[in-house]
Amino acid sequence: MQPPRRVVTGLDADGRSTVIIDGPAPSVIWSAPDCPADNDGNADAGNDQFDFPETGTNCIWVDIPPGGGTEMHATATIDYLAVLSGEITLVTETGKTVLRPGDILVDRGVVHAWQNEGTVPCRILGTLVAAKPIVR
């Protein structure tokens, strides 16, 4: 089996959001040195209230319909996102990158948008981890 495709965002020499890595993923896709979670208890921590975590993590899924998408935005999170079905276009300040099923994106809090330019909904599974805002 081939490794999945890994796309990682960052900043170019002019401080603009861009894709800095696009290729086969190593077995550890990305790591961050801090963030111990508390696994005590049995309470259900899932809900239907989407937000970007200021501390900790959120594990989410989202469907983006054909023609749908977002405005350009940045978050104080590092997002680990996997495309499960459909296609989605990642838009950065320097260009566009199409992500397909099995592709994994590590979005490091840069300015970006999403566009579904395809004909079927796109489903994305992701983990959002609180992070320091990116410095431009």
Side-chain angles (χ1 to χ4, degrees):
M1 213 182 226
Q2 295 288 2
R5 175 182 177 211
R6 176 182 66 155
V7 176
V8 180
T9 62
L11 299 178
D12 68 9
D14 296 320
R16 298 174 303 171
S17 61
T18 193
V19 169
I20 60 169
I21 298 171
D22 188 343
S27 58
V28 174
I29 295 165
W30 201 261
S31 66
D34 300 315
C35 194
D38 184 353
N39 285 326
D40 285 338
N42 293 322
D44 184 350
N47 62 63
D48 286 322
Q49 180 63 42
F50 178 85
D51 59 0
F52 293 96
E54 293 180 14
T55 61
T57 67
N58 283 347
C59 185
I60 62 150
W61 64 270
V62 62
D63 289 339
I64 301 174
T70 67
E71 299 292 325
M72 293 292 278
H73 64 283
T75 62
T77 59
I78 185 168
D79 303 340
Y80 304 109
L81 305 167
V83 177
L84 300 180
S85 62
E87 293 183 355
I88 195 74
T89 300
L90 168 70
V91 181
T92 65
E93 293 172 303
T94 60
K96 294 182 174 186
T97 302
V98 176
L99 301 170
R100 295 178 176 87
D103 291 348
I104 299 167
L105 173 69
V106 179
D107 178 39
R108 299 174 53 232
V110 302
V111 174
H112 67 284
W114 298 105
Q115 296 174 347
N116 184 341
E117 299 172 344
T119 59
V120 299
C122 175
R123 177 164 285 180
I124 299 170
L125 174 68
T127 300
L128 314 180
V129 181
K132 297 175 185 172
I134 197 164
V135 177
R136 289 161 84 56

mmCIF file of all heavy atoms in Angstrom, residues 77-113:
data_model
loop_
_atom_site.group_PDB
_atom_site.id
_atom_site.type_symbol
_atom_site.label_atom_id
_atom_site.label_comp_id
_atom_site.label_asym_id
_atom_site.label_seq_id
_atom_site.Cartn_x
_atom_site.Cartn_y
_atom_site.Cartn_z
ATOM 1 N N THR A 77 -5.430 27.358 15.628
ATOM 2 C CA THR A 77 -5.432 25.907 15.809
ATOM 3 C C THR A 77 -4.457 25.287 14.813
ATOM 4 O O THR A 77 -4.077 25.916 13.825
ATOM 5 C CB THR A 77 -6.833 25.295 15.559
ATOM 6 O OG1 THR A 77 -7.253 25.607 14.225
ATOM 7 C CG2 THR A 77 -7.847 25.790 16.565
ATOM 8 N N ILE A 78 -4.077 24.064 15.081
ATOM 9 C CA ILE A 78 -3.447 23.216 14.074
ATOM 10 C C ILE A 78 -4.483 22.152 13.765
ATOM 11 O O ILE A 78 -5.050 21.544 14.680
ATOM 12 C CB ILE A 78 -2.099 22.630 14.540
ATOM 13 C CG1 ILE A 78 -1.440 21.859 13.404
ATOM 14 C CG2 ILE A 78 -2.233 21.798 15.788
ATOM 15 C CD1 ILE A 78 0.012 21.479 13.669
ATOM 16 N N ASP A 79 -4.807 22.006 12.495
ATOM 17 C CA ASP A 79 -5.893 21.119 12.088
ATOM 18 C C ASP A 79 -5.332 19.947 11.298
ATOM 19 O O ASP A 79 -4.612 20.140 10.312
ATOM 20 C CB ASP A 79 -6.905 21.871 11.218
ATOM 21 C CG ASP A 79 -7.482 23.096 11.906
ATOM 22 O OD1 ASP A 79 -7.412 23.173 13.148
ATOM 23 O OD2 ASP A 79 -8.016 23.970 11.196
ATOM 24 N N TYR A 80 -5.683 18.738 11.742
ATOM 25 C CA TYR A 80 -5.331 17.518 11.037
ATOM 26 C C TYR A 80 -6.605 17.052 10.337
ATOM 27 O O TYR A 80 -7.560 16.640 10.997
ATOM 28 C CB TYR A 80 -4.838 16.447 12.012
ATOM 29 C CG TYR A 80 -3.678 16.903 12.869
ATOM 30 C CD1 TYR A 80 -3.839 17.147 14.226
ATOM 31 C CD2 TYR A 80 -2.419 17.094 12.308
ATOM 32 C CE1 TYR A 80 -2.773 17.555 15.017
ATOM 33 C CE2 TYR A 80 -1.339 17.515 13.087
ATOM 34 C CZ TYR A 80 -1.526 17.731 14.441
ATOM 35 O OH TYR A 80 -0.472 18.141 15.221
ATOM 36 N N LEU A 81 -6.645 17.139 9.013
ATOM 37 C CA LEU A 81 -7.870 16.894 8.255
ATOM 38 C C LEU A 81 -7.646 15.814 7.212
ATOM 39 O O LEU A 81 -6.642 15.839 6.490
ATOM 40 C CB LEU A 81 -8.324 18.183 7.552
ATOM 41 C CG LEU A 81 -8.502 19.397 8.469
ATOM 42 C CD1 LEU A 81 -8.622 20.665 7.653
ATOM 43 C CD2 LEU A 81 -9.715 19.199 9.356
ATOM 44 N N ALA A 82 -8.582 14.871 7.117
ATOM 45 C CA ALA A 82 -8.518 13.812 6.112
ATOM 46 C C ALA A 82 -9.774 13.870 5.254
ATOM 47 O O ALA A 82 -10.888 13.915 5.784
ATOM 48 C CB ALA A 82 -8.408 12.444 6.783
ATOM 49 N N VAL A 83 -9.596 13.873 3.954
ATOM 50 C CA VAL A 83 -10.732 13.843 3.035
ATOM 51 C C VAL A 83 -11.205 12.398 2.944
ATOM 52 O O VAL A 83 -10.436 11.499 2.585
ATOM 53 C CB VAL A 83 -10.345 14.384 1.640
ATOM 54 C CG1 VAL A 83 -11.521 14.273 0.679
ATOM 55 C CG2 VAL A 83 -9.881 15.834 1.746
ATOM 56 N N LEU A 84 -12.478 12.184 3.292
ATOM 57 C CA LEU A 84 -13.055 10.838 3.249
ATOM 58 C C LEU A 84 -13.741 10.552 1.921
ATOM 59 O O LEU A 84 -13.672 9.438 1.411
ATOM 60 C CB LEU A 84 -14.041 10.643 4.395
ATOM 61 C CG LEU A 84 -13.478 10.799 5.808
ATOM 62 C CD1 LEU A 84 -14.585 10.581 6.836
ATOM 63 C CD2 LEU A 84 -12.320 9.855 6.043
ATOM 64 N N SER A 85 -14.431 11.565 1.363
ATOM 65 C CA SER A 85 -15.119 11.374 0.086
ATOM 66 C C SER A 85 -15.267 12.721 -0.617
ATOM 67 O O SER A 85 -15.221 13.774 0.013
ATOM 68 C CB SER A 85 -16.492 10.725 0.296
ATOM 69 O OG SER A 85 -17.322 11.551 1.085
ATOM 70 N N GLY A 86 -15.455 12.661 -1.926
ATOM 71 C CA GLY A 86 -15.540 13.880 -2.719
ATOM 72 C C GLY A 86 -14.177 14.523 -2.880
ATOM 73 O O GLY A 86 -13.145 13.911 -2.603
ATOM 74 N N GLU A 87 -14.187 15.757 -3.358
ATOM 75 C CA GLU A 87 -12.960 16.543 -3.513
ATOM 76 C C GLU A 87 -13.188 17.917 -2.930
ATOM 77 O O GLU A 87 -14.303 18.423 -2.937
ATOM 78 C CB GLU A 87 -12.585 16.709 -4.985
ATOM 79 C CG GLU A 87 -12.183 15.449 -5.672
ATOM 80 C CD GLU A 87 -11.739 15.677 -7.113
ATOM 81 O OE1 GLU A 87 -11.834 16.820 -7.612
ATOM 82 O OE2 GLU A 87 -11.289 14.705 -7.741
ATOM 83 N N ILE A 88 -12.118 18.530 -2.446
ATOM 84 C CA ILE A 88 -12.190 19.877 -1.900
ATOM 85 C C ILE A 88 -10.947 20.639 -2.344
ATOM 86 O O ILE A 88 -9.874 20.055 -2.447
ATOM 87 C CB ILE A 88 -12.328 19.868 -0.352
ATOM 88 C CG1 ILE A 88 -12.770 21.220 0.175
ATOM 89 C CG2 ILE A 88 -11.080 19.366 0.308
ATOM 90 C CD1 ILE A 88 -14.220 21.538 -0.069
ATOM 91 N N THR A 89 -11.120 21.916 -2.624
ATOM 92 C CA THR A 89 -9.996 22.757 -3.017
ATOM 93 C C THR A 89 -9.611 23.625 -1.837
ATOM 94 O O THR A 89 -10.437 24.373 -1.310
ATOM 95 C CB THR A 89 -10.351 23.634 -4.230
ATOM 96 O OG1 THR A 89 -10.702 22.769 -5.324
ATOM 97 C CG2 THR A 89 -9.176 24.508 -4.641
ATOM 98 N N LEU A 90 -8.351 23.502 -1.416
ATOM 99 C CA LEU A 90 -7.770 24.369 -0.398
ATOM 100 C C LEU A 90 -7.244 25.597 -1.117
ATOM 101 O O LEU A 90 -6.465 25.489 -2.059
ATOM 102 C CB LEU A 90 -6.626 23.654 0.320
ATOM 103 C CG LEU A 90 -5.750 24.526 1.217
ATOM 104 C CD1 LEU A 90 -6.515 24.970 2.460
ATOM 105 C CD2 LEU A 90 -4.473 23.784 1.591
ATOM 106 N N VAL A 91 -7.680 26.777 -0.672
ATOM 107 C CA VAL A 91 -7.232 28.035 -1.259
ATOM 108 C C VAL A 91 -6.344 28.738 -0.244
ATOM 109 O O VAL A 91 -6.756 28.955 0.899
ATOM 110 C CB VAL A 91 -8.430 28.946 -1.622
ATOM 111 C CG1 VAL A 91 -7.949 30.241 -2.263
ATOM 112 C CG2 VAL A 91 -9.418 28.217 -2.519
ATOM 113 N N THR A 92 -5.118 29.063 -0.632
ATOM 114 C CA THR A 92 -4.221 29.859 0.206
ATOM 115 C C THR A 92 -3.965 31.182 -0.505
ATOM 116 O O THR A 92 -4.457 31.407 -1.615
ATOM 117 C CB THR A 92 -2.882 29.132 0.479
ATOM 118 O OG1 THR A 92 -2.176 28.989 -0.764
ATOM 119 C CG2 THR A 92 -3.106 27.781 1.136
ATOM 120 N N GLU A 93 -3.178 32.027 0.114
ATOM 121 C CA GLU A 93 -2.870 33.321 -0.503
ATOM 122 C C GLU A 93 -2.003 33.177 -1.750
ATOM 123 O O GLU A 93 -1.888 34.113 -2.531
ATOM 124 C CB GLU A 93 -2.183 34.227 0.516
ATOM 125 C CG GLU A 93 -3.122 34.628 1.647
ATOM 126 C CD GLU A 93 -2.413 35.352 2.765
ATOM 127 O OE1 GLU A 93 -1.450 34.765 3.329
ATOM 128 O OE2 GLU A 93 -2.815 36.486 3.087
ATOM 129 N N THR A 94 -1.416 32.007 -1.960
ATOM 130 C CA THR A 94 -0.532 31.819 -3.110
ATOM 131 C C THR A 94 -1.058 30.841 -4.146
ATOM 132 O O THR A 94 -0.410 30.632 -5.168
ATOM 133 C CB THR A 94 0.865 31.334 -2.647
ATOM 134 O OG1 THR A 94 0.707 30.096 -1.961
ATOM 135 C CG2 THR A 94 1.528 32.367 -1.748
ATOM 136 N N GLY A 95 -2.217 30.223 -3.906
ATOM 137 C CA GLY A 95 -2.725 29.290 -4.902
ATOM 138 C C GLY A 95 -3.772 28.339 -4.375
ATOM 139 O O GLY A 95 -4.293 28.515 -3.272
ATOM 140 N N LYS A 96 -4.063 27.326 -5.193
ATOM 141 C CA LYS A 96 -5.083 26.332 -4.875
ATOM 142 C C LYS A 96 -4.476 24.940 -4.931
ATOM 143 O O LYS A 96 -3.606 24.665 -5.757
ATOM 144 C CB LYS A 96 -6.234 26.393 -5.882
ATOM 145 C CG LYS A 96 -7.050 27.669 -5.840
ATOM 146 C CD LYS A 96 -8.183 27.593 -6.851
ATOM 147 C CE LYS A 96 -9.115 28.784 -6.745
ATOM 148 N NZ LYS A 96 -10.294 28.612 -7.640
ATOM 149 N N THR A 97 -4.968 24.060 -4.046
ATOM 150 C CA THR A 97 -4.547 22.662 -4.022
ATOM 151 C C THR A 97 -5.788 21.796 -3.871
ATOM 152 O O THR A 97 -6.561 21.994 -2.933
ATOM 153 C CB THR A 97 -3.578 22.399 -2.843
ATOM 154 O OG1 THR A 97 -2.442 23.262 -2.971
ATOM 155 C CG2 THR A 97 -3.127 20.957 -2.818
ATOM 156 N N VAL A 98 -5.990 20.862 -4.785
ATOM 157 C CA VAL A 98 -7.144 19.964 -4.725
ATOM 158 C C VAL A 98 -6.786 18.763 -3.853
ATOM 159 O O VAL A 98 -5.748 18.132 -4.043
ATOM 160 C CB VAL A 98 -7.564 19.507 -6.135
ATOM 161 C CG1 VAL A 98 -8.714 18.502 -6.051
ATOM 162 C CG2 VAL A 98 -7.966 20.707 -6.990
ATOM 163 N N LEU A 99 -7.661 18.473 -2.900
ATOM 164 C CA LEU A 99 -7.504 17.326 -2.007
ATOM 165 C C LEU A 99 -8.579 16.301 -2.347
ATOM 166 O O LEU A 99 -9.746 16.653 -2.523
ATOM 167 C CB LEU A 99 -7.620 17.765 -0.552
ATOM 168 C CG LEU A 99 -6.600 18.824 -0.100
ATOM 169 C CD1 LEU A 99 -6.964 19.360 1.266
ATOM 170 C CD2 LEU A 99 -5.202 18.248 -0.106
ATOM 171 N N ARG A 100 -8.160 15.038 -2.401
ATOM 172 C CA ARG A 100 -9.048 13.940 -2.778
ATOM 173 C C ARG A 100 -9.120 12.907 -1.654
ATOM 174 O O ARG A 100 -8.332 12.973 -0.712
ATOM 175 C CB ARG A 100 -8.544 13.307 -4.066
ATOM 176 C CG ARG A 100 -8.613 14.278 -5.250
ATOM 177 C CD ARG A 100 -8.075 13.672 -6.536
ATOM 178 N NE ARG A 100 -8.245 14.609 -7.637
ATOM 179 C CZ ARG A 100 -7.368 15.563 -7.951
ATOM 180 N NH1 ARG A 100 -6.253 15.710 -7.247
ATOM 181 N NH2 ARG A 100 -7.603 16.379 -8.965
ATOM 182 N N PRO A 101 -10.039 11.939 -1.759
ATOM 183 C CA PRO A 101 -10.157 10.932 -0.699
ATOM 184 C C PRO A 101 -8.812 10.291 -0.362
ATOM 185 O O PRO A 101 -8.046 9.911 -1.246
ATOM 186 C CB PRO A 101 -11.134 9.912 -1.289
ATOM 187 C CG PRO A 101 -12.003 10.735 -2.198
ATOM 188 C CD PRO A 101 -11.045 11.733 -2.819
ATOM 189 N N GLY A 102 -8.534 10.220 0.936
ATOM 190 C CA GLY A 102 -7.285 9.656 1.423
ATOM 191 C C GLY A 102 -6.206 10.693 1.665
ATOM 192 O O GLY A 102 -5.235 10.424 2.362
ATOM 193 N N ASP A 103 -6.344 11.896 1.085
ATOM 194 C CA ASP A 103 -5.359 12.953 1.314
ATOM 195 C C ASP A 103 -5.516 13.502 2.721
ATOM 196 O O ASP A 103 -6.638 13.590 3.256
ATOM 197 C CB ASP A 103 -5.522 14.098 0.308
ATOM 198 C CG ASP A 103 -5.132 13.709 -1.114
ATOM 199 O OD1 ASP A 103 -4.516 12.636 -1.303
ATOM 200 O OD2 ASP A 103 -5.449 14.488 -2.035
ATOM 201 N N ILE A 104 -4.393 13.881 3.326
ATOM 202 C CA ILE A 104 -4.377 14.413 4.683
ATOM 203 C C ILE A 104 -3.753 15.804 4.654
ATOM 204 O O ILE A 104 -2.678 15.995 4.085
ATOM 205 C CB ILE A 104 -3.564 13.490 5.617
ATOM 206 C CG1 ILE A 104 -4.217 12.103 5.649
ATOM 207 C CG2 ILE A 104 -3.454 14.096 7.012
ATOM 208 C CD1 ILE A 104 -3.358 11.037 6.276
ATOM 209 N N LEU A 105 -4.432 16.757 5.270
ATOM 210 C CA LEU A 105 -3.932 18.131 5.346
ATOM 211 C C LEU A 105 -3.550 18.447 6.786
ATOM 212 O O LEU A 105 -4.303 18.148 7.708
ATOM 213 C CB LEU A 105 -5.010 19.128 4.892
ATOM 214 C CG LEU A 105 -4.659 20.601 5.098
ATOM 215 C CD1 LEU A 105 -3.544 21.043 4.158
ATOM 216 C CD2 LEU A 105 -5.879 21.480 4.938
ATOM 217 N N VAL A 106 -2.394 19.057 6.955
ATOM 218 C CA VAL A 106 -2.001 19.646 8.229
ATOM 219 C C VAL A 106 -2.055 21.150 8.009
ATOM 220 O O VAL A 106 -1.187 21.725 7.350
ATOM 221 C CB VAL A 106 -0.590 19.196 8.669
ATOM 222 C CG1 VAL A 106 -0.211 19.861 9.983
ATOM 223 C CG2 VAL A 106 -0.509 17.675 8.774
ATOM 224 N N ASP A 107 -3.134 21.777 8.506
ATOM 225 C CA ASP A 107 -3.285 23.228 8.365
ATOM 226 C C ASP A 107 -2.764 23.882 9.631
ATOM 227 O O ASP A 107 -3.316 23.692 10.708
ATOM 228 C CB ASP A 107 -4.733 23.620 8.115
ATOM 229 C CG ASP A 107 -4.874 25.133 8.031
ATOM 230 O OD1 ASP A 107 -3.981 25.778 7.448
ATOM 231 O OD2 ASP A 107 -5.860 25.670 8.571
ATOM 232 N N ARG A 108 -1.724 24.671 9.493
ATOM 233 C CA ARG A 108 -1.016 25.240 10.628
ATOM 234 C C ARG A 108 -1.449 26.685 10.909
ATOM 235 O O ARG A 108 -0.631 27.547 11.149
ATOM 236 C CB ARG A 108 0.478 25.128 10.379
ATOM 237 C CG ARG A 108 0.898 23.655 10.242
ATOM 238 C CD ARG A 108 2.331 23.453 9.851
ATOM 239 N NE ARG A 108 3.225 24.161 10.731
ATOM 240 C CZ ARG A 108 4.181 24.992 10.294
ATOM 241 N NH1 ARG A 108 4.362 25.196 9.012
ATOM 242 N NH2 ARG A 108 4.958 25.586 11.159
ATOM 243 N N GLY A 109 -2.764 26.930 10.889
ATOM 244 C CA GLY A 109 -3.305 28.215 11.302
ATOM 245 C C GLY A 109 -3.130 29.347 10.311
ATOM 246 O O GLY A 109 -3.258 30.509 10.672
ATOM 247 N N VAL A 110 -2.868 29.029 9.032
ATOM 248 C CA VAL A 110 -2.657 30.082 8.036
ATOM 249 C C VAL A 110 -3.982 30.544 7.440
ATOM 250 O O VAL A 110 -5.014 29.876 7.575
ATOM 251 C CB VAL A 110 -1.709 29.605 6.906
ATOM 252 C CG1 VAL A 110 -0.362 29.179 7.470
ATOM 253 C CG2 VAL A 110 -2.331 28.505 6.073
ATOM 254 N N VAL A 111 -3.946 31.664 6.757
ATOM 255 C CA VAL A 111 -5.120 32.172 6.043
ATOM 256 C C VAL A 111 -5.439 31.197 4.907
ATOM 257 O O VAL A 111 -4.559 30.850 4.108
ATOM 258 C CB VAL A 111 -4.855 33.582 5.489
ATOM 259 C CG1 VAL A 111 -6.012 34.050 4.623
ATOM 260 C CG2 VAL A 111 -4.606 34.563 6.624
ATOM 261 N N HIS A 112 -6.700 30.758 4.851
ATOM 262 C CA HIS A 112 -7.108 29.805 3.825
ATOM 263 C C HIS A 112 -8.630 29.843 3.658
ATOM 264 O O HIS A 112 -9.339 30.452 4.460
ATOM 265 C CB HIS A 112 -6.667 28.385 4.194
ATOM 266 C CG HIS A 112 -7.379 27.847 5.400
ATOM 267 N ND1 HIS A 112 -7.071 28.236 6.684
ATOM 268 C CD2 HIS A 112 -8.404 26.964 5.515
ATOM 269 C CE1 HIS A 112 -7.864 27.622 7.538
ATOM 270 N NE2 HIS A 112 -8.688 26.842 6.840
ATOM 271 N N ALA A 113 -9.091 29.187 2.619
ATOM 272 C CA ALA A 113 -10.526 28.999 2.382
ATOM 273 C C ALA A 113 -10.713 27.612 1.795
ATOM 274 O O ALA A 113 -9.750 26.962 1.371
ATOM 275 C CB ALA A 113 -11.067 30.050 1.419
#
